[in-house]
Amino acid sequence: GGYLLSSWSGGGSSSGGFSAIVSAGEGTCASPIALTTGQAHSGTTVGATASTPTPCIDDGGSAPERVHRFELSARTQISARITSSYDATLYIMRECGGDVLGCNDDEGGDTSSSRVDLTLEPGIYYAVVDSASGTYELTITETALQDVATVCQAAPALIPGQPVAGDTSGRADYFQSTCADGSRSPDYVYRLDVAQRSRLRVRQQSSHDGSIYVRSGCTNAASEIACD
């Protein structure tokens, strides 16, 4: 577990505070810092090593980083967020040094904040704070997923000929498809009632590389009719 180590001399003054604060783990892949979801962790990249390039920026592999480890007991939507004294970058991996599941440099253009939202299966994951040197606070929160049937029942209806605007930011990943590498990303489901045999065209315009697919049964992945 975690511990706090301090040293001091004399008893007449408390000036100077703690001379050292040590977390369990050095912040490397071999010795990651253990995190508890829902609890803020304060740290620093000052004195940290640089082992790999930061995924969503081009730093040439020269920036120091701290590696943190957390564990999930069930399929969960997580939100990992850092606030920092410098322009930090945050990314999540399933295997330390492996493929990156999500990476963010600036949340909403704010260089002192980064946030990654993901839906993850049970297991061990690694959160890395990277880019330059400074202090940071990292918090990972969990949100329980709803039953898919409940999500389907709450799906808003589409009206043919009427465009609908939406945003998948921060949403969970409930559905997967046969295209777009499974569409393993935040999603939004809509319902369309068809009264008679019809020709259907569904068109999406988005600020990101999105996918769209149609099912005849909301909870049944095998009922997919088309995917683009």
Side-chain angles (χ1 to χ4, degrees), residues 188-206:
Y188 208 114
V189 60
Y190 295 91
R191 185 183 78 254
L192 177 66
D193 295 324
V194 181
Q196 60 186 12
R197 181 176 172 83
S198 306
R199 178 177 176 81
L200 173 70
R201 173 183 290 164
V202 184
R203 185 170 183 265
Q204 171 191 289
Q205 290 178 290
S206 58

Side-chain angles (χ1 to χ4, degrees), residues 77-100:
Q77 181 186 8
I78 67 107
S79 180
R81 187 172 187 269
I82 55 172
T83 55
S84 56
S85 62
Y86 64 103
D87 186 3
T89 303
L90 172 67
Y91 55 98
I92 308 292
M93 300 178 291
R94 181 65 188 262
E95 295 182 5
C96 201
D99 293 338
V100 174

